[in-house]
Amino acid sequence: MNMLANQTQERLFDRYAPETERFFDEMFLNEVAPREHYSKLMEDFNSLSEADQEACKRMVSVFFLNQGITFTVYGNDEGVERIFPFDVIPRVIPATEWDQIERGLTQRVTALNLFLHDLYHEQKILKDKIVPSDLVLSSRHFRREFVGVNPPLGVYIHITGSDIIRDEQGNYMVLEDNLRCPSGVSYMLQNRQALKRALPSIFSHHRVRPIEDYPQELVRVLQQIAPPTRVQEDPSIVLLTPGIYNSAYFEHSFLARQMGIELVEGRDLMVSDNKIYSRTTHGLKRVDVIYRRVDDDFLDPLVFRSDSMLGTAGLINAYRAGNVALANAIGTGVADDKVIYSFVPQIIKYYLGEDAIIPNVPTYLASRKEDLHYILENLEKLVVKAANESGGYGMLVGPHSTAAQREEFAQKLRADPRNYIAQPTISLSRHPAFAADNSFIGCHIDLRPYILYGEKVTIVPGGLTRVALKPGSLVVNSSQGGGSKDTWVLD
């Protein structure tokens, strides 16, 4: 290593304190030595001058700005549109660890799909009292109207984005499952493109598995679930978006372009003879598959919310008739409920006869009297979550809360215990990152891999590594000040 590299190392990594006694550090084995799968990356970054590092960050910022890579923050007075924060030091996952993640997620999504099929048909798992019936039937997203309905291939969850964390010992754990309309995959794809442009030489030194074929893999899955009479006829696929004011609209438009499919709003579709058509400049066009980024409640004002302006009247009748497929299927949200999440290890054991390869985070249910008592007595130590909220909303992080916030949540827990869970505050693993002021710090991270399920389960080798860019924060959501990294799975 040359003198410039040594000087750069002093400026860069010598300013970083891994704190391996308090947290699992993804990059460092101890205070001075990197983990084996990071050693080459550390060497490469140390070879960059400070000017090179700044140029890299500028190039990434310009790329994101030109691509319009933004997200929306609701309830923020500074303006809702923001460029998505990105950290240029990638997260690296060795092949052996990825094998465990891949096997664990395949097991998990297979069991959850069997669970959903059972719930909407024979409900054996409820009769055998593995999962309490009252918790399932009271779930906001359990759709009684679809009991007995058979989705194509028997698959309910075609696109899943499970959130994975590591505890203080480095053990992987599933924090939650996102089964309705998981978001973020566009950022995963754009992160890779941005870093390839900014650091092409570093990429050439590593055998990083590609992720660029995700849009085509998703198209193949959607083609596979088209109505049987249409599968052989180049099925027509559309992406249904709530519109430009949705926080993930950038992703909707980006994916539609990458997949080569039409981006539509509910008003662009119509129903005739229980078939769906899109209005185009060339007239009406039959639609076979809808990749919907609209929640169940807003899909059809004739069946769900009558005040919805986001869906299409008659869509559900076409779905029931088997003339159009929906990804994900209606009713998947019951398995997305954070209360039902706590039973996933039992669900895996019930349907597959296996122990969970990746465990859950220990979870307390406020609906249980003994759990509720424990939660109320230990609010300052726990993370409390609403059963059906996402994006970091409806959550109390006990160690970082005020007495007033804890009292507010105590009232909510007593008033509606079914709607809340609590978990221990886990010190998420940390990774080196550049802070907003250009200091070099350790930030907590998680990982959201993307799982596709059609005729088989396919998992993109990587995912979206989300970063809590606020010093000391455990909240990685972009709406709460988080950013992301490129995720490298080594071949």
Side-chain angles (χ1 to χ4, degrees):
M1 191 177 295
N2 59 34
M3 183 60 68
L4 176 61
N6 283 327
Q7 292 172 351
T8 305
Q9 184 176 4
E10 290 175 0
R11 289 196 301 269
L12 189 61
F13 291 105
D14 282 2
R15 291 180 296 162
Y16 174 65
E19 296 188 64
T20 51
E21 293 183 1
R22 296 178 57 204
F23 310 106
F24 183 86
D25 193 282
E26 296 284 344
M27 188 171 186
F28 282 86
L29 188 62
N30 53 47
E31 290 191 0
V32 294
R35 299 184 187 279
E36 183 179 355
H37 54 281
Y38 271 99
S39 58
K40 180 59 179 170
L41 183 71
M42 180 175 172
E43 181 183 325
D44 286 343
F45 266 90
N46 282 337
S47 70
L48 299 176
S49 67
E50 192 166 341
D52 291 335
Q53 296 167 28
E54 288 301 315
C56 172
K57 287 184 279 187
R58 283 197 303 273
M59 189 177 298
V60 166
S61 296
V62 169
F63 174 81
F64 274 52
L65 182 65
N66 290 342
Q67 295 295 316
I69 303 173
T70 63
F71 68 99
T72 301
V73 178
Y74 295 118
N76 187 287
D77 295 333
E78 298 175 7
V80 295
E81 286 292 324
R82 291 185 179 177
I83 300 296
F84 196 73
F86 175 71
D87 186 70
V88 298
I89 302 178
R91 187 235 190 105
V92 181
I93 302 175
T96 51
E97 290 183 10
W98 181 252
D99 177 67
Q100 178 200 359
I101 292 172
E102 197 168 44
R103 289 185 295 107
L105 292 179
T106 299
Q107 176 197 58
R108 194 173 182 96
V109 76
T110 301
L112 285 170
N113 193 73
L114 291 169
F115 172 65
L116 285 165
H117 192 276
D118 188 13
L119 286 189
Y120 289 105
H121 290 81
E122 298 180 359
Q123 299 187 346
K124 289 182 179 179
I125 198 168
L126 304 186
K127 296 170 185 174
D128 290 338
K129 299 182 179 180
I130 305 298
V131 180
S133 298
D134 60 322
L135 294 180
V136 171
L137 301 180
S138 65
S139 175
R140 195 174 93 193
H141 297 291
F142 178 67
R143 305 297 181 186
R144 291 172 176 77
E145 307 94 327
F146 290 89
V147 170
V149 174
N150 291 300
L153 304 180
V155 177
Y156 287 78
I157 38 180
H158 312 95
I159 305 112
T160 303
S162 294
D163 291 339
I164 298 177
I165 63 171
R166 297 177 92 163
D167 64 12
E168 293 90 335
Q169 288 74 45
N171 301 310
Y172 284 106
M173 309 175 83
V174 176
L175 183 63
E176 63 182 52
D177 301 292
N178 297 285
L179 308 175
R180 285 176 288 159
C181 303
S183 62
V185 74
S186 61
Y187 303 122
M188 174 192 78
L189 295 169
Q190 293 287 52
N191 287 352
R192 177 62 53 87
Q193 291 303 312
L195 206 56
K196 272 189 170 181
R197 293 184 181 209
L199 297 170
S201 60
I202 290 181
F203 260 93
S204 67
H205 296 163
H206 298 80
R207 297 179 63 184
V208 182
R209 293 182 61 182
I211 60 172
E212 288 80 3
D213 61 348
Y214 174 86
Q216 288 68 47
E217 288 290 341
L218 178 53
V219 168
R220 277 192 282 274
V221 167
L222 298 178
Q223 289 172 335
Q224 290 166 4
I225 66 170
T229 58
R230 307 282 293 178
V231 169
Q232 304 301 324
E233 302 181 22
D234 190 19
S236 172
I237 304 168
V238 299
L239 192 157
L240 177 62
T241 175
I244 61 172
Y245 297 108
N246 184 263
S247 62
Y249 183 75
F250 161 77
E251 174 159 294
H252 303 166
S253 57
F254 172 82
L255 281 177
R257 290 195 307 272
Q258 294 296 308
M259 296 166 68
I261 64 175
E262 190 178 356
L263 180 69
V264 300
E265 297 181 30
R267 61 189 177 185
D268 299 320
L269 302 177
M270 64 162 289
V271 179
S272 177
D273 194 25
N274 278 345
K275 297 181 178 65
I276 302 287
Y277 296 88
S278 65
R279 297 180 173 92
T280 74
T281 55
H282 302 290
L284 297 179
K285 180 182 179 182
R286 173 81 182 269
V287 173
D288 302 307
V289 182
I290 299 175
Y291 172 26
R292 49 85 171 232
R293 299 296 294 262
V294 174
D295 283 340
D296 290 355
D297 285 337
F298 302 96
L299 279 175
D300 187 337
L302 300 181
V303 177
F304 299 120
R305 286 185 52 159
S306 59
D307 61 343
S308 172
M309 303 292 289
L310 304 178
T312 303
L315 187 155
I316 297 306
N317 279 343
Y319 177 65
R320 285 180 176 278
N323 293 326
V324 68
L326 293 174
N328 288 341
I330 292 173
T332 58
V334 64
D336 208 14
D337 188 309
K338 291 179 176 63
V339 172
I340 304 303
Y341 153 90
S342 67
F343 293 93
V344 172
Q346 294 95 307
I347 289 170
I348 292 171
K349 190 73 170 180
Y350 183 78
Y351 293 109
L352 302 180
E354 302 168 357
D355 293 327
I357 295 171
I358 308 178
N360 274 18
V361 174
T363 303
Y364 303 96
L365 304 185
S367 55
R368 293 176 181 155
K369 287 185 179 180
E370 61 275 19
D371 283 10
L372 177 60
H373 177 75
Y374 177 81
I375 295 169
L376 291 173
E377 290 294 313
N378 294 276
L379 278 175
E380 74 283 356
K381 302 176 184 176
L382 300 171
V383 176
V384 182
K385 301 177 182 177
N388 293 288
E389 293 287 348
S390 59
Y393 296 103
M395 183 169 75
L396 174 79
V397 181
H400 297 166
S401 65
T402 64
Q405 290 170 332
R406 292 193 293 274
E407 177 57 32
E408 178 188 350
F409 262 78
Q411 294 176 15
K412 291 179 179 179
L413 286 161
R414 294 188 185 99
D416 187 11
R418 162 62 180 84
N419 193 42
Y420 289 92
I421 67 165
Q423 296 170 328
T425 305
I426 294 179
S427 296
L428 308 184
S429 62
R430 297 205 318 171
H431 197 290
F434 289 100
D437 61 358
N438 262 359
S439 61
F440 196 59
I441 59 174
C443 292
H444 295 290
I445 63 172
D446 76 354
L447 175 66
R448 178 176 290 182
Y450 293 93
I451 310 151
L452 299 177
Y453 194 174
E455 294 175 350
K456 63 177 183 178
V457 175
T458 303
I459 303 178
V460 181
L464 181 66
T465 290
R466 299 185 301 174
V467 187
L469 290 174
K470 291 181 180 178
S473 174
L474 295 172
V475 183
V476 297
N477 307 81
S478 58
S479 56
Q480 308 294 319
S484 70
K485 290 176 172 288
D486 191 14
T487 307
W488 292 4
V489 174
L490 300 182
D491 194 356

